Structure formats: C-alpha cells, structure tokens
Amino acid sequence: MNFDLVKDVMDLVKEFQSKNKANPVYTNDVDGFKLWIKNTNESTPELNWEGKEFGRTPDSIINTLIVHMNHYAKAYSKSAIYDSKFSTQDDFIFLISLKVHGPIKKMDLVKLNKQEKPVGIKIINRLIANEWVEQKDSKTDKRSKIIQITQEGLKALESQMDKIRKATQIVTGDLSELEKIKLIELLQKLNEFHQPIYDEQLDSSKLLDHAYETYLNKQS
C-alpha cells in the first residue's frame, strides 16, 4: 500500500471538511469531495466579452451582466404573478421571507430583503391591506411592530408557487448542477463582502467613498 498517497488523500479530506464547514457549499460526502477536487484543480478559462479589446474591465462587464440578470428575473417574475392579486415580485418575496423566518420586526424584514425603508414599508402595508400579513406590538420593544404571514397569505403564496418556481428555474437557464454550485459559491462570497457595508446604512453621499476606502482597499 502506498502510505504516502493515503496520507495525501487524508490531508485533502481534512482540508475539504475544514473549508466546507466554514462555507458549506458542497455535500459532506464522496460526491461533494470529488466536486470540490474538480473545482479546486480547474484552471481559469480565457474569456472574451464585449469591449474587452478596448480595455473594458472584468468589473465593468460583471456589473452590466448583474443588471441584465436583474431585468430578466423581474420580467419572469412579472409573468409569474400576471392576473393575480400580487402587485410586484417583492410581494411574494416578502411573503416567502415571512414563511421561512417566521414573525419578524418590520424593519428587519425590510433590511433582510435589501429594500429602502419607504419602499419596504409600502410593500408591507400592501400585504396587510390584502390580509396576507398581520402585525402586532413587539413585547420587547414597544416602538416596533412584529409582522407575520397569515393563513390567507399562505394560501395566496401557494396559489402562485408553481409559476414562481418556474420563474426561478428559467432564470438559471441551462446551467448544469456544477455550474449552479459554482455560481452560488461566488454569489455567497460577494454577498458576504457587501452585507457589512449595507448594514451600516450610510447616506448615498458617503456610501461609495466609504465602501471603496474601508472595504475594498483592505482586500488588496
């Protein structure tokens, strides 16, 4: 038996388990381990994009593609709620958040969904008017309102879930399962970078310079 090989494999397994525990992207089994090995050993492909020959940076094309994906997702979501009582995709996104997280403070729900306060409160008020959400005083903070999804809200959500699932599936298009896992990993990494910046709730006049100097520079 090649004990050096066995030791190398054991070291790799330990590395996999350690990294996957800190950032659980892969299943904790042989298939997850093999997928991690494959991703780790893959080289960076040589990609082309519009404007690259004129000096357009990866940052520029990534921003543009994210904006485009947002537009595509909104279009599919609009189709999913067509001819229903839902006004926007945010209505069902807020309801799904309440179904998953349970009772929550109004502003916590707004922040969870990365909305500005006036827009978020307007969405919540619309859900309350439809009797899909109910609110009550917080027992720990009398200044806050706790909201939760109602049975009517669950029924409304369930009535559209088939179309909503189709919309989410079409957004990921023809990506393979491996490509979806890779994309999740990258988006989670980006989300972890931006979350603390968002949590500071800075004014627009200060946000860009503060984020660039405080968070981006320290990465270099």
Side-chain angles (χ1 to χ4, degrees):
M1 181 181 290
N2 187 336
F3 290 101
D4 288 337
L5 176 60
V6 172
K7 182 180 181 302
D8 289 341
V9 171
M10 291 299 295
D11 288 341
L12 276 175
V13 170
K14 289 179 181 178
E15 182 182 355
F16 162 71
Q17 290 181 327
S18 175
K19 290 184 176 180
N20 202 46
K21 183 178 181 181
N23 184 24
V25 172
Y26 305 95
T27 55
N28 194 29
D29 54 21
V30 173
D31 290 335
F33 177 63
K34 289 192 293 185
L35 187 56
W36 174 76
I37 289 288
K38 184 178 186 301
N39 290 346
T40 301
N41 292 331
E42 281 188 350
S43 58
T44 303
E46 181 63 31
L47 294 177
N48 288 311
W49 55 82
E50 184 180 2
K52 183 179 181 180
E53 66 274 23
F54 302 115
R56 189 179 190 188
T57 65
D59 304 287
S60 174
I61 190 64
I62 288 171
N63 275 269
T64 298
L65 292 175
I66 288 175
V67 170
H68 287 178
M69 287 305 305
N70 183 48
H71 291 327
Y72 300 147
K74 281 187 175 181
Y76 292 124
S77 294
K78 186 176 180 180
S79 180
I81 62 174
Y82 178 77
D83 201 25
S84 75
K85 289 184 67 177
F86 288 92
S87 299
T88 69
Q89 66 173 352
D90 295 309
D91 290 0
F92 68 75
I93 289 174
F94 271 49
L95 285 182
I96 290 172
S97 296
L98 286 171
K99 182 179 178 180
V100 171
H101 294 276
I104 189 174
K105 290 181 180 179
K106 273 188 175 182
M107 280 311 301
D108 287 344
L109 179 62
V110 172
K111 291 178 181 177
L112 179 67
N113 289 287
K114 310 300 182 288
Q115 288 283 3
E116 294 183 354
K117 182 178 178 179
V119 176
I121 295 301
K122 185 177 180 180
I123 295 167
I124 292 172
N125 288 340
R126 188 161 60 236
L127 297 178
I128 293 173
N130 283 333
E131 298 184 345
W132 294 344
V133 164
E134 60 186 7
Q135 64 178 339
K136 56 185 178 181
D137 292 331
S138 170
K139 293 180 180 179
T140 57
D141 183 359
K142 297 301 180 183
R143 298 169 299 176
S144 300
K145 294 287 187 181
I146 300 295
I147 57 175
Q148 62 184 25
I149 191 169
T150 63
Q151 286 300 316
E152 288 301 314
L154 290 170
K155 289 178 184 177
L157 193 58
E158 186 57 34
S159 70
Q160 294 299 122
M161 278 310 298
D162 183 56
K163 290 185 177 180
I164 292 170
R165 290 189 186 99
K166 287 179 180 178
T168 59
Q169 289 171 357
I170 194 64
V171 167
T172 57
D174 58 355
L175 294 180
S176 67
E177 289 304 307
L178 172 59
E179 288 169 332
K180 289 177 185 178
I181 293 297
K182 286 182 178 179
L183 184 57
I184 291 170
E185 184 177 16
L186 292 174
L187 291 175
Q188 284 180 334
K189 184 175 182 180
L190 271 177
N191 188 67
E192 288 168 5
F193 172 84
H194 290 290
Q195 186 66 52
I197 305 173
Y198 174 80
D199 288 341
E200 292 193 54
Q201 295 290 294
L202 294 175
D203 185 81
S204 297
S205 62
K206 301 176 182 178
L207 175 61
L208 181 59
D209 288 339
H210 175 75
Y212 191 88
E213 295 299 328
T214 306
Y215 290 90
L216 196 59
N217 279 353
K218 74 179 183 181
Q219 303 292 318
S220 356

